[in-house]
Amino acid sequence: MRAKTRKLLIRLIVVVVIIAAVVGAVGWYKLFRQVPLHYANIEDQFKYGSIGTEASTGIPYWIVMVLPRMFPEYLPGPGGFSSIGLAWEEGHELPIGFTKKTIGFERVGINCAFCHTATWRATPQDKPHIVIAAPGHQMDGQKYLWFLYASASDPRFNSNDILKEIDRATKLSWLDRLLYRYVLIPQTKTALLKQKEEAHWTTTRPYWGPGRVDPFNPEKFGPLKQPMDDSIGNSDMPSLWNQKARANGKALHWDGLQTSLDEVFINSALGDGTTRKALPMDEFDRLKAWLTELQPPKYPFTVDQALVTRGSEVFSKECASCHEVGQERTATVIPIDEVKTDRHRLDEWTQSAADAYNSGAGGYTFNTSHFRKTNGYASPPLDGIWLRAPYLHNGSVPTLTDLLEPETNRPKMFWRGYDVYDQQRVGFISSGAEAEKSGFRYETSAAGNSNQGHLWGTDLSPEDKRALIEFLKTL
């Protein structure tokens, strides 16, 4: 009898072990199995490839797909994520800058293209031309975050209502349905509400607006654990092309707080929400190599070649010392007392924050040693300047024509975020009904929004100004 009982007990143990192994395998498969995300075409890799954000801040795929339908009132307008200025290619299920990667289950993260993809049109009737690695002047990242936070705060953000909406689009397997009901939807809600609470400080600062971001206060008040202050860092998205012109110890970021291109790339990915462990270094190095050599887009409209010749001479005399690649002051920090532009972005970054980064604060498991505090703003090369409007570090001047005007003649209010190009003034159309409908009202009187400073070229003759602008179109 004892032998028979022993055999039954052994069989029971074997069954339990098998069940545990199956449950463990299924659990691993549904929660942790990773499927590499690789695009042979480097441009597709930039647009849709992973930089590792899915593991830490990614949102389950089907939640992302149904939120715009469930909560359209929290978006700026119709069109789902297109309403916040994300570029969307025909035939793709997600906009440029969104990544879809399987880590157990399908998750959606963001990558560099989220902030660095621009659109432009010659007329309101045209389809948008999409330019990657350009400043995303029309993309409103803060409204994307507000949309997520508002959705998560809504009582309808619950398993029953979200699964009903998912059912309208697809039929989940019984296992996926359980996973979404009891794990993914509740955890996503909790994570977004926690993120909303951590980002509460942003509600006390001026709105970023399309094409802008506060790049370093989130790092200061988050991982670096710096004391809360009232600084404002709102600044324009930069272009990413032709990084070789900015390498080798040049001043990087608007205030030149970095001199290592490698550290800038990694820090930027961390700012997007990845972790050092999740960062796919092979793909990341591939992107870095491509962006180092990528040339800016050519000006798409006609230019007056005679004026270009004259403008080249004006540029050599008035601008080249600070903005021509290879010149002594190009990509160096120009003291604030000399450039005289709005100093809020400069004051945002502190020596304490730089020291914290360089000493390994924030739990980052890689070495940084090139963060610093400066006393001014960097003077970047002007490659592709025609598509980098609005101008100055805070995007406070809508066109090149306005930039060459004295401060008193520059627009004190304009609309930014509209993507129809202004060929006459060289920038984007920033006034009129359509610009108002699509844009954000930019007031230069708001803290951090001043259009003062950078007075070089403002005393040129009208003829020289026109010639200079014609030449700048060709860079």
Side-chain angles (χ1 to χ4, degrees):
M1 188 71 177
R2 288 181 178 176
K4 192 173 184 180
T5 301
R6 189 179 300 113
K7 287 181 180 180
L8 288 172
L9 182 59
I10 291 172
R11 288 175 183 172
L12 180 61
I13 291 173
V14 170
V15 170
V16 169
V17 169
I18 291 173
I19 292 174
V22 170
V23 170
V26 171
W28 173 85
Y29 186 86
K30 281 297 181 184
L31 294 175
F32 304 110
R33 173 185 64 104
Q34 292 206 33
V35 178
L37 183 60
H38 171 79
Y39 292 89
N41 182 291
I42 188 62
E43 293 187 2
D44 286 339
Q45 186 68 34
F46 179 80
K47 289 184 282 190
Y48 305 109
S50 173
I51 60 170
T53 60
E54 305 84 8
S56 53
T57 59
I59 301 175
Y61 170 75
W62 282 111
I63 296 179
V64 172
M65 296 303 284
V66 303
L67 283 189
R69 295 200 297 270
M70 289 186 68
F71 305 109
E73 65 271 29
Y74 301 136
L75 288 166
F81 292 124
S82 293
S83 69
I84 61 172
L86 292 176
W88 210 314
E89 292 185 304
E90 291 184 12
H92 286 264
E93 61 180 344
L94 292 169
I96 292 174
F98 275 22
T99 66
K100 178 184 176 184
K101 185 175 182 180
T102 296
I103 307 177
F105 54 92
E106 292 177 327
R107 314 177 190 212
V108 174
I110 64 170
N111 65 15
C112 305
F114 184 84
C115 294
H116 300 285
T117 299
T119 64
W120 66 267
R121 293 177 291 163
T123 72
Q125 293 75 37
D126 291 346
K127 286 186 176 182
H129 296 266
I130 296 174
V131 184
I132 57 176
H137 69 96
Q138 78 294 331
M139 191 283 301
D140 198 326
Q142 194 166 29
K143 283 194 174 176
Y144 172 66
L145 294 175
W146 289 350
F147 167 72
L148 294 179
Y149 301 156
S151 299
S153 301
D154 194 296
R156 292 170 293 164
F157 197 112
N158 62 69
S159 294
N160 285 336
D161 287 339
I162 290 180
L163 280 170
K164 285 179 184 177
E165 194 63 40
I166 292 175
D167 286 342
R168 294 188 176 97
T170 190
K171 182 174 177 59
L172 295 175
S173 69
W174 66 270
L175 186 57
D176 282 339
R177 192 172 189 82
L178 289 175
L179 186 64
Y180 266 86
R181 177 176 291 280
Y182 295 110
V183 180
L184 301 185
I185 295 173
Q187 286 191 358
T188 299
K189 183 181 182 76
T190 298
L192 287 175
L193 292 178
K194 180 183 179 183
Q195 191 179 53
K196 176 184 178 181
E197 182 180 352
E198 292 172 346
H200 177 72
W201 62 268
T202 62
T203 65
T204 67
R205 321 293 160 107
Y207 166 46
W208 299 347
R212 300 203 305 171
V213 67
D214 185 335
F216 287 103
N217 270 333
E219 295 290 299
K220 280 170 48 185
F221 306 147
L224 298 182
K225 294 181 169 40
Q226 297 295 294
M228 186 64 65
D229 58 36
D230 60 358
S231 61
I232 298 167
N234 296 354
S235 47
D236 261 27
M237 310 290 186
S239 60
L240 296 185
W241 52 62
N242 195 25
Q243 289 298 314
K244 66 182 178 184
R246 296 153 173 83
N248 301 320
K250 301 296 186 182
L252 302 169
H253 288 297
W254 284 111
D255 57 344
L257 61 78
Q258 254 286 359
T259 57
S260 166
L261 193 58
D262 286 342
E263 290 184 20
V264 165
F265 271 94
I266 292 175
N267 166 257
S268 298
L270 292 170
D272 283 341
T274 191
T275 63
R276 186 67 177 86
K277 182 179 179 181
L279 190 63
M281 288 306 298
D282 288 347
E283 297 290 5
F284 204 62
D285 289 342
R286 184 173 164 233
L287 283 174
K288 258 193 321 184
W290 174 65
L291 290 169
T292 298
E293 299 294 332
L294 180 66
Q295 291 304 295
K298 294 186 180 299
Y299 185 72
F301 309 106
T302 58
V303 296
D304 185 325
Q305 290 299 332
L307 275 181
V308 168
T309 300
R310 176 175 174 178
S312 175
E313 296 172 358
V314 177
F315 179 84
S316 295
K317 179 180 178 183
E318 301 287 337
C319 314
S321 62
C322 289
H323 294 296
E324 185 177 272
V325 175
Q327 293 296 319
E328 182 179 358
R329 302 190 84 193
T330 301
T332 66
V333 174
I334 309 300
I336 188 66
D337 291 341
E338 183 178 350
V339 69
K340 301 185 188 314
T341 49
D342 188 298
R343 65 175 300 133
H344 282 83
R345 168 64 184 80
L346 172 64
D347 293 339
E348 172 193 39
W349 189 244
T350 64
Q351 185 63 54
S352 175
D355 292 343
Y357 237 131
N358 290 334
S359 65
Y364 296 142
T365 56
F366 67 95
N367 296 322
T368 59
S369 59
H370 293 82
F371 282 96
R372 61 180 182 172
K373 172 64 183 170
T374 71
N375 66 341
Y377 289 111
S379 53
L382 301 185
D383 45 352
I385 193 66
W386 71 272
L387 195 56
R388 287 160 57 182
Y391 299 102
L392 298 184
H393 72 275
N394 56 359
S396 58
V397 181
T399 69
L400 288 178
T401 299
D402 295 313
L403 186 61
L404 293 179
E405 288 294 316
E407 297 166 332
T408 54
N409 293 346
R410 294 172 181 172
K412 295 178 175 57
M413 186 284 292
F414 61 95
W415 300 94
R416 60 170 295 166
Y418 189 42
D419 69 350
V420 174
Y421 203 76
D422 188 339
Q423 299 178 48
Q424 298 301 313
R425 303 187 68 80
V426 188
F428 295 96
I429 291 176
S430 57
S431 62
E434 288 301 315
E436 180 176 350
K437 179 181 176 182
S438 303
F440 149 63
R441 183 184 175 98
Y442 190 102
E443 298 275 3
T444 61
S445 59
N449 284 4
S450 172
N451 62 3
Q452 68 185 27
H454 196 284
L455 301 180
W456 292 280
T458 58
D459 58 354
L460 291 171
S461 69
E463 293 77 19
D464 280 349
K465 288 181 181 180
R466 184 180 168 214
L468 175 60
I469 291 172
E470 202 71 10
F471 172 73
L472 293 175
K473 294 176 183 178
T474 69
L475 296 180

